[in-house]
Amino acid sequence: MNLSTKVRLFVAVVAAFSTLTSAPSALAAPPSANCTQYAFDGEFIARGDGIDHRWTVTFTSTGLVPGGPARVKFDDGGIVNGTITGGKINRHVIELSIKWNNKPDNIWNFSGIVGPDGLVRHGTQMLSGALPRSGSYWESLRPLDCVAFAAPEPPNSRIDPHAPIGPADLPR
């Protein structure tokens, strides 16, 4: 291999390496991956899939504790109004209860885990006091708001045991 070929090969390797080190990782964490607390930030929409029906629940709330009126619309056209009677978001865990106006004992209890994108997937909804087969799975259609972030770990925060010791590292 002559010098010209060696130089071209070296330049190609350096170019390939610099592209790899400067390109963003395909596995990079989403921007909200460091979120430590989610909250309601307006309209919340949950889409559910029951044993014999599909439904969409909507309500508007802000902060960590939901409240106010709620509405469920069934895919067959039925609509029922209700009131949020309890719940909270604790870090990544969401829980809430809705009492529907059509029956005094018709209370739906929701629970789920908020993912790093702010959405709930594979949440569960159960009727109060009902048998296990009387629930649904649900997911949120709008992301929740991230209101607290964990500080990202600074780069080079790990100690390299092979790094040279400089004057700044010596005790005074």
Side-chain angles (χ1 to χ4, degrees), residues 74-164:
F74 295 93
D75 282 6
D76 67 4
I79 295 175
V80 179
N81 293 311
T83 303
I84 298 172
T85 59
K88 64 183 175 184
I89 300 177
N90 183 8
R91 300 177 54 87
H92 292 87
V93 178
I94 181 173
E95 297 175 340
L96 63 108
S97 298
I98 302 174
K99 181 176 182 177
W100 300 109
N101 298 343
N102 63 337
K103 296 178 187 171
D105 296 328
N106 191 6
I107 299 172
W108 290 10
N109 297 303
F110 293 79
S111 62
I113 303 295
V114 184
D117 57 0
L119 295 171
V120 177
R121 292 183 177 82
H122 310 295
T124 58
Q125 172 271 320
M126 299 295 292
L127 292 173
S128 286
L131 298 173
R133 292 188 47 88
S134 60
S136 300
Y137 291 105
W138 65 276
E139 61 186 26
S140 60
L141 300 184
R142 285 191 67 239
L144 293 162
D145 189 29
C146 180
V147 295
F149 291 92
E153 185 177 319
N156 303 329
S157 65
R158 297 191 178 140
I159 297 173
D160 180 0
H162 304 292

Side-chain angles (χ1 to χ4, degrees), residues 42-64:
E43 184 180 39
F44 185 79
I45 305 170
R47 180 76 172 143
D49 192 6
I51 295 171
D52 57 356
H53 59 277
R54 291 182 54 84
W55 47 263
T56 303
V57 166
T58 58
F59 62 88
T60 301
S61 203
T62 58
L64 303 180

